[in-house]
Amino acid sequence: MPSKEQLEKYADILIRIGLHVQPEQPVSIDSPIESAEFARLLMNKAYEAGASTVDIEWVDPLAHKIRLQKETDKNLVKVPNWIIQRAQELIDNNAAFLNIAADNPDLLADVDPKRIAMFHKAVGEKAKNVQQYFMEDRVTWLVCSLPTQDWAQKMFPEESATSAVDKLWEAIFKVMRMDAADPVAAWENHIETLDKRAKWLNDLNLKKLHYRAPGTDLTIELSHLHTWIGASSVNEKGTRFVANLPTEEVFTLPKRNGVNGTVRSTMPLAYGGVVIEGMEFTFKEGRITDFSSKTGYETLKGLVDTDEGSHYLGEIALVPNDSPISNLNTLFYNTLFDENASCHMAIGKAYPTCLNGGKEMSEDELLQHGVNDSITHVDFMMGTSELDIDGETQDGKTVAIFRQGNWA
Amino acid sequence: MPSKEQLEKYADILIRIGLHVQPEQPVSIDSPIESAEFARLLMNKAYEAGASTVDIEWVDPLAHKIRLQKETDKNLVKVPNWIIQRAQELIDNNAAFLNIAADNPDLLADVDPKRIAMFHKAVGEKAKNVQQYFMEDRVTWLVCSLPTQDWAQKMFPEESATSAVDKLWEAIFKVMRMDAADPVAAWENHIETLDKRAKWLNDLNLKKLHYRAPGTDLTIELSHLHTWIGASSVNEKGTRFVANLPTEEVFTLPKRNGVNGTVRSTMPLAYGGVVIEGMEFTFKEGRITDFSSKTGYETLKGLVDTDEGSHYLGEIALVPNDSPISNLNTLFYNTLFDENASCHMAIGKAYPTCLNGGKEMSEDELLQHGVNDSITHVDFMMGTSELDIDGETQDGKTVAIFRQGNWA
């Protein structure tokens, strides 16, 4: 069990670096009921930072599972209006949103994947408008994590519950640079490094990327307006925040119709309570024309079939193999961590922030510029120590971007 | 720890007798996060009974306390719209509302009572319209309870946490008639007994009640339209429900301006996280003209000063001294139980259901008929083994209602 000092330091990083709470700003925290103690610490830290009010939206994965199991199809897809009204009211009040991602990766392994997909689709459609505020960074948001018992035991099956949770705390603190003399300063430095890397890529102004690794041979075209983003985002009010902690990635969006070839996933994907392993996708003019997986195929199918946009990519992200998370050599079964151990891509909606001027464009304009739209956005990991990536500049020159899984 | 069978039986009583869940009816459960396991059992039982969906509104008293301590006065009294929108949407969908009352009675002992009162008032004003649906039994609602650790240790301070919780389970099961061969049938019988008692009082058609006990000498006039209610209520759709479990009372409303004399409380009142003991009230033409208490005076003052209506009584309830709860001789510090061990009265809003035709009357008409209005409604216990109550009939005859704390 971490010490009180460690927990306080961790909460400080999340509230001050991640959310960057401003005086008189409301804060919304999505927390598993299991993490109540830390959620209350976050509350206290948010008030210290000047939050006007802190509202915790408690989440119980087991209650969610009962719903998924017991409701008729017709009832399962009814999403109450008040859930959207709550989000919209908080957005209108410039709230900062903190989400604790700590799901048991196997939670829904025995639930019909069709019903999970049905539920995700219903929520995604209902929440499309409020989701836009997050995808465009108009509001401050942060995804971070905490150990929960079932998840920790999935990661460390040979350990007792208590010691699995302890080991997971250790792992999280390691990748959260908590062993630095001043973790807040370490994060400021790291954010600057990622932002510089994004600037380097932006200065290259690439036209195309070519990925090569076992099972992967993929060409990705980039819009002439594309922009790479590092760790820091800026909300509508001009306040900086970091949307993921930890983060090791720089990312942009592919041109919707400009993806061709094959890609093989290199890590399991824990998605909505099910683990999907060994995915392979074939793309033709952007669209997924074929896909397979070794486990969780029905769940993957539900995801790809969500809507038209979920047949296209919405994000490509570069993460070196030599990063604190991948050096741990630990599979987290939690995308927040795993995607920061490996180059990854997302199926579904693209961030309009990855297109210069994108935040000001209409849906039609975004689509014309090759910005994919969907009600879903799910990352999968495809980096490996054998991954090479070449860039092609506007005048046709080739630049080595990644060699053997690391920055060239 | 109760057995699985006992827990299932208890959940059955709450869902089938209390809420009386109907096919395709949505259910809303307010549950402390500490009671997650039982809340999930209630969910399952509600689905078994045909609920269309079950939404749990998780409550964390400790997070609530942080808010009360940390927010500025200005922010503390801002009640989000979505809280009301949620209630209204559920009401519009004919939901059944289950509330688990299991607070630590001392939770807010060290919080400024003025701020607690400020918060209650703000919520009460904002929720006035939705509260009306409950006060008029237009929707199904149930207050029930479960042991929580801090509360159990307040009741059994000499016990360890685990054994205090066990003792509280035992006490709750005792008063919930769980030792009957068929508890559901036992409740059906008991409800019938209470409903018969209410009928007896209604047939008497009393004009006035006169309470006498040490410290109490109170005359209460009754409207010619008053009606006594037993355990069962009927919602707008014609479905029976029981709003409190356990319940031992029959109750009606006093004429707003027809209360004169003094009354002394006989049990501590746990109200909003503070324990108030030794209350005395003086009434003149219905209005509280003087009041005092041995502990919690500031909290009591905050309650009485909520609005004009909180200076008047809204409910009088008769409970014999010889009832399962009072025979336990255990102080619960929880009104759900304590009010069913003792005759009690409520400060604040009257139930329009206690006036014949009241549910169809406008606010003005209700007031004209002596039905008190307020944003609050708080019961306090004033029964004792020395309490005598006389009734006066329309033609001036005296009828003994209570003698030495029991039905005459």
Side-chain angles (χ1 to χ4, degrees), chain A residues 78-306:
Chain A
K78 281 186 198 154
V79 184
N81 297 322
W82 68 265
I83 293 180
I84 307 304
Q85 288 162 337
R86 175 183 183 275
Q88 190 64 57
E89 185 171 355
L90 285 161
I91 288 168
D92 292 344
N93 292 330
N94 183 36
F97 293 81
L98 184 148
N99 186 290
I100 297 173
D103 290 342
N104 169 9
D106 292 326
L107 179 73
L108 304 180
D110 53 351
V111 175
D112 179 357
K114 284 204 191 68
R115 285 171 54 82
I116 303 175
M118 196 185 290
F119 176 81
H120 280 300
K121 185 169 176 167
V123 173
E125 280 171 354
K126 187 95 175 193
K128 190 165 164 46
N129 288 335
V130 298
Q131 206 49 42
Q132 200 74 7
Y133 289 86
F134 296 85
M135 295 298 284
E136 292 179 358
D137 286 347
R138 292 172 64 184
V139 294
T140 288
W141 57 283
L142 166 64
V143 181
C144 57
S145 193
L146 284 184
T148 50
Q149 199 172 296
D150 290 342
W151 171 32
Q153 287 202 285
K154 168 78 177 175
M155 282 180 65
F156 307 106
E158 71 289 353
E159 305 284 340
S160 72
T162 317
S163 105
V165 165
D166 281 348
K167 273 180 115 74
L168 181 46
W169 269 120
E170 262 173 54
I172 292 177
F173 280 178
K174 184 86 192 157
V175 300
M176 281 298 296
R177 295 171 163 77
M178 288 279 294
D179 47 6
D182 180 350
V184 169
W187 273 98
E188 291 289 2
N189 283 337
H190 176 56
I191 290 162
E192 209 177 300
T193 306
L194 290 173
D195 289 351
K196 272 186 194 155
R197 194 146 279 159
K199 188 177 178 306
W200 174 72
L201 284 165
N202 286 328
D203 289 346
L204 281 176
N205 189 20
L206 298 172
K207 200 174 152 186
K208 225 180 248 185
L209 291 171
H210 190 192
Y211 287 68
R212 274 184 319 270
T216 293
D217 186 353
L218 195 70
T219 307
I220 293 180
E221 292 173 45
L222 301 172
S223 158
H224 65 287
L225 290 178
H226 84 276
T227 185
W228 293 88
I229 298 181
S232 58
S233 304
V234 176
N235 74 11
E236 208 165 38
K237 306 271 177 195
T239 308
R240 193 194 81 177
F241 66 97
V242 180
N244 283 187
L245 279 176
T247 179
E248 302 290 337
E249 65 177 297
V250 294
F251 63 101
T252 190
L253 49 72
K255 199 184 266 186
R256 185 177 195 266
N257 300 319
V259 180
N260 285 285
T262 57
V263 60
R264 177 183 291 170
S265 75
T266 51
M267 292 166 87
L269 167 65
Y271 168 66
V274 176
V275 177
I276 312 172
E277 289 175 280
M279 291 176 278
E280 298 201 325
F281 300 94
T282 304
F283 291 88
K284 204 173 162 184
E285 291 178 7
R287 201 170 194 281
I288 297 173
T289 54
D290 197 17
F291 63 94
S292 63
S293 71
K294 288 192 177 128
T295 70
Y297 177 77
E298 284 302 322
T299 302
L300 177 61
K301 187 169 177 336
L303 169 61
V304 173
D305 287 345
T306 304

Side-chain angles (χ1 to χ4, degrees), chain A residues 24 33 36 40-41 43-44 47-48 51-60 62-64 66-67 70-72 74-76 78-83 85-87 89-90 126, chain B residues 24 33 36 40-41 43-44 47-48 51-60 62-64 66-67 70-72 74-76 78-83 85-87 89-90 126:
Chain A
E24 286 303 310
I33 61 174
R40 292 182 206 119
L41 177 56
M43 264 187 107
N44 275 313
Y47 281 120
E48 270 175 34
S52 58
T53 188
V54 182
D55 186 54
I56 304 190
E57 178 75 358
W58 297 105
V59 179
D60 178 34
L62 295 174
H64 174 59
I66 295 171
R67 270 203 71 194
K70 296 290 173 84
E71 289 187 14
T72 61
K74 201 180 104 244
N75 289 319
L76 191 59
K78 281 186 198 154
V79 184
N81 297 322
W82 68 265
I83 293 180
Q85 288 162 337
R86 175 183 183 275
E89 185 171 355
L90 285 161
K126 187 95 175 193
Chain B
E24 285 303 309
I33 60 173
R40 291 183 208 120
L41 177 56
M43 263 186 108
N44 276 312
Y47 282 119
E48 270 175 34
S52 58
T53 188
V54 182
D55 186 54
I56 304 189
E57 178 74 358
W58 297 105
V59 179
D60 178 34
L62 294 174
H64 173 58
I66 295 172
R67 270 203 71 193
K70 295 291 173 80
E71 288 187 16
T72 61
K74 203 179 102 244
N75 288 320
L76 190 59
K78 280 185 198 154
V79 184
N81 297 323
W82 67 265
I83 292 180
Q85 288 162 337
R86 175 181 183 276
E89 185 171 356
L90 285 161
K126 187 95 176 193

Side-chain angles (χ1 to χ4, degrees), chain B residues 234-301:
Chain B
V234 176
N235 74 11
E236 210 165 40
K237 306 271 174 192
T239 308
R240 194 194 82 177
F241 66 97
V242 180
N244 283 187
L245 279 176
T247 178
E248 302 290 337
E249 64 177 298
V250 295
F251 64 100
T252 190
L253 49 72
K255 199 183 267 186
R256 186 179 195 264
N257 299 318
V259 180
N260 285 285
T262 58
V263 61
R264 178 182 291 171
S265 75
T266 51
M267 290 167 88
L269 167 65
Y271 168 66
V274 175
V275 177
I276 312 173
E277 289 176 280
M279 291 176 279
E280 298 200 326
F281 300 94
T282 304
F283 291 88
K284 203 172 162 184
E285 292 178 4
R287 200 172 197 280
I288 296 173
T289 54
D290 197 17
F291 62 93
S292 63
S293 73
K294 287 192 178 129
T295 69
Y297 178 76
E298 284 303 320
T299 302
L300 177 61
K301 188 169 177 330

Side-chain angles (χ1 to χ4, degrees), chain B residues 197-206 228 250 318 401 407:
Chain B
R197 193 146 280 157
K199 188 177 178 309
W200 175 71
L201 284 164
N202 286 327
D203 290 344
L204 281 176
N205 189 21
L206 298 172
W228 293 88
V250 295
L318 302 180
I401 307 292
W407 291 98

Side-chain angles (χ1 to χ4, degrees), chain B residues 378-400:
Chain B
V378 177
D379 297 87
F380 65 92
M381 285 59 76
M382 42 70 65
T384 123
S385 59
E386 294 168 278
L387 176 64
D388 289 346
I389 308 175
D390 283 340
E392 185 183 319
T393 61
Q394 300 294 331
D395 53 4
K397 275 185 203 139
T398 297
V399 188

